Amino acid sequence: MNNNTILLYNNALNLNLKQTMNDANDVLYNMQSLKQFQWNISQIQKMKDGAQMQVNMAALALWRNFVLNEAPVGKMLFRNLIRKYYDLSDEQIVKYENFLGEDRGLKWKYLTNLQAIKRKGECFTMDRYGLYKIENYNERISLNSTKTIDQHLALMDLFYDISSFEEISYAKKWPFYIYQYSHNLDVSNSRKYNYQNHLAKNVFIEWNDNLVKLLQGDNAIKDLLQNDGFFAQMGINNIRETLTHLQDIVGSSYEITEEMKNEVIARIEQKGIALYSYLPISKEFIFQHQNELDWAVMQKNPRIQWDWELINLYLRKVKETISEDKWPQYLLGSKAMYEFVGNYLNDEILSDIEKLYNI
């Protein structure tokens, strides 16, 4: 309820109340004024509830028209967006997080929701629901030998969205993956040789000369030469000039031969418009070049300004052009996408969608 509205009614009530009461009639008058004030507040609350109901209905219609009616890909995307970014309650964690298996009678869940991890801790109990944590320590699951691709993809999503090692203590266990995947990590104060090979593979971090100077050694430069996100940012219009500039930064520590340059140029030229998938491109550009862009890259791009039409286009391109066995890799969604759709979600809308689509 609007605070100004309540203040207005409160001031009116104060003016209407008799401050000096001489007899029972004055008391009765004040009681009637208080009841009228209560009734007015009740009417405002009803108006607010009615308005919120209309907002929820409009939001639900948007979800259905642009996402959920694109069966079955829309439902898969919706589940992943909720699983990763919605402020999940304890019961919702049980519903949306990925089930891995049982060990000694305990059911394990693989936590991929940063808000839930911060709120509950990386290892926590939930009464009858069992034990949930981000890593199954008993089996020592590593990122290089995960049981399922879903589990691996879920972890990668965490690293894309983490912005500092202090965000969750779990990040400190895998610092090299933070350097490789986090698009908004500040590495300006990093020691020159810290995880440079992983940093060289980061496609979405904002590349500049100072960042390149952190990379030393043959392997790091070789990885950078394979980094399409780097070339998209630094020289999409003139790759040879970018390579020459890169050689100037690296200096005599590593020679980028003419053969290497030709290989990079040939690869980039073959990608063509798809290389723009790494950049903050406009909605108009996306619609114009929808058949040339790389939608696997697009869904992860943290700088795309998503709206309902773009999300619908994304779902249709996945359904029409990607084989069904690869859908889980293409329908993970992203923080950038959720920053738009999250404005059209609350517990009531989520509950209605769960019932309507059996989620």
Side-chain angles (χ1 to χ4, degrees):
M1 187 180 302
N2 190 298
N3 289 334
N4 291 331
T5 303
I6 296 176
L7 182 62
L8 181 65
Y9 273 104
N10 187 53
N11 290 338
L13 175 65
N14 287 334
L15 287 172
N16 207 30
L17 288 177
K18 293 188 175 182
Q19 305 300 319
T20 302
M21 292 179 287
N22 300 314
D23 54 30
N25 288 332
D26 291 340
V27 175
L28 179 61
Y29 178 85
N30 279 353
M31 289 180 64
Q32 290 173 338
S33 295
L34 285 168
K35 286 183 179 179
Q36 180 64 39
F37 177 72
Q38 186 178 31
W39 186 86
N40 289 340
I41 295 298
S42 177
Q43 292 304 109
I44 293 174
Q45 185 62 51
K46 286 181 180 179
M47 291 173 60
K48 179 186 174 184
D49 293 342
Q52 185 62 56
M53 184 179 297
Q54 291 182 340
V55 169
N56 287 354
M57 290 174 63
L60 180 59
L62 290 169
W63 274 109
R64 297 184 71 174
N65 290 337
F66 290 101
V67 178
L68 294 161
N69 285 350
E70 291 293 343
V73 291
K75 182 176 175 179
M76 294 174 66
L77 175 65
F78 178 82
R79 278 194 59 89
N80 279 327
L81 288 173
I82 297 298
R83 172 178 61 82
K84 294 191 297 180
Y85 303 114
Y86 193 75
D87 190 9
L88 299 175
S89 66
D90 289 0
E91 290 75 16
Q92 288 168 331
I93 291 174
V94 179
K95 183 183 297 184
Y96 284 98
E97 287 287 18
N98 293 331
F99 175 73
L100 288 184
E102 294 191 15
D103 180 50
R104 300 178 184 176
L106 292 176
K107 293 182 178 180
W108 299 93
K109 290 280 183 174
Y110 212 64
L111 284 182
T112 58
N113 186 297
L114 273 179
Q115 293 192 73
I117 293 170
K118 292 175 183 178
R119 178 169 57 87
K120 302 296 291 185
E122 295 180 22
C123 183
F124 60 93
T125 57
M126 284 170 48
D127 300 321
R128 62 188 179 86
Y129 296 110
L131 183 64
Y132 300 80
K133 59 183 179 180
I134 198 167
E135 181 185 6
N136 189 333
Y137 293 94
N138 290 343
E139 298 185 15
R140 298 187 180 279
I141 297 172
S142 71
L143 296 179
N144 294 323
S145 59
T146 50
K147 287 184 175 179
T148 66
I149 190 169
D150 287 342
Q151 180 183 323
H152 180 77
L153 291 171
L155 262 184
M156 292 302 100
D157 283 346
L158 270 180
F159 295 122
Y160 275 111
D161 297 327
I162 291 174
S163 58
S164 72
F165 294 101
E166 288 70 36
E167 194 160 4
I168 56 172
S169 60
Y170 180 72
K172 297 175 183 177
K173 302 175 186 176
W174 305 94
F176 34 90
Y177 283 105
I178 305 299
Y179 276 90
Q180 184 170 337
Y181 292 102
S182 175
H183 63 87
N184 54 4
L185 183 67
D186 182 9
V187 297
S188 59
N189 295 322
S190 300
R191 288 188 296 114
K192 184 175 288 187
Y193 299 106
N194 262 2
Y195 314 112
Q196 54 180 310
N197 293 345
H198 294 274
L199 177 61
K201 298 175 184 178
N202 194 318
V203 297
F204 288 124
I205 200 166
E206 292 190 17
W207 283 99
N208 54 52
D209 289 2
N210 290 330
L211 201 57
V212 174
K213 290 176 183 177
L214 292 175
L215 307 179
Q216 297 292 322
D218 293 359
N219 290 333
I221 304 303
K222 286 179 181 177
D223 286 335
L224 190 64
L225 290 173
Q226 297 299 316
N227 187 330
D228 291 342
F230 166 78
F231 286 102
Q233 291 183 50
M234 299 293 286
I236 199 167
N237 295 318
N238 195 329
I239 302 303
R240 183 172 291 278
E241 184 177 302
T242 299
L243 288 165
T244 300
H245 182 59
L246 177 60
Q247 181 69 82
D248 292 339
I249 297 174
V250 174
S252 59
S253 63
Y254 185 85
E255 180 185 2
I256 304 175
T257 66
E258 195 65 25
E259 182 181 359
M260 292 178 181
K261 291 180 181 180
N262 291 335
E263 288 178 355
V264 171
I265 292 170
R267 186 184 80 245
I268 298 302
E269 288 180 345
Q270 186 176 13
K271 287 183 177 294
I273 295 295
L275 201 65
Y276 283 86
S277 304
Y278 295 93
L279 300 177
I281 49 181
S282 68
K283 177 180 178 179
E284 291 73 22
F285 185 92
I286 294 171
F287 268 89
Q288 182 181 353
H289 298 283
Q290 58 183 271
N291 296 324
E292 302 163 88
L293 294 168
D294 186 336
W295 288 93
V297 174
M298 290 280 292
Q299 70 156 341
K300 299 175 184 177
N301 189 334
R303 297 173 184 95
I304 297 293
Q305 299 294 315
W306 293 93
D307 62 15
W308 290 114
E309 290 182 333
L310 269 183
I311 292 173
N312 183 259
L313 175 64
Y314 156 66
L315 288 171
R316 288 188 284 110
K317 298 306 293 185
V318 170
K319 186 163 62 172
E320 294 167 6
T321 64
I322 306 301
S323 60
E324 189 171 345
D325 62 309
K326 293 183 179 179
W327 283 355
Q329 302 173 47
Y330 277 79
L331 294 168
L332 290 168
S334 65
K335 185 68 173 294
M337 195 178 294
Y338 186 80
E339 285 176 352
F340 171 74
V341 300
N343 296 318
Y344 300 86
L345 272 174
N346 57 41
D347 287 342
E348 289 78 18
I349 296 171
L350 178 56
S351 178
D352 287 342
I353 291 175
E354 289 172 342
K355 294 172 184 175
L356 287 169
Y357 291 89
N358 192 30
I359 294 176

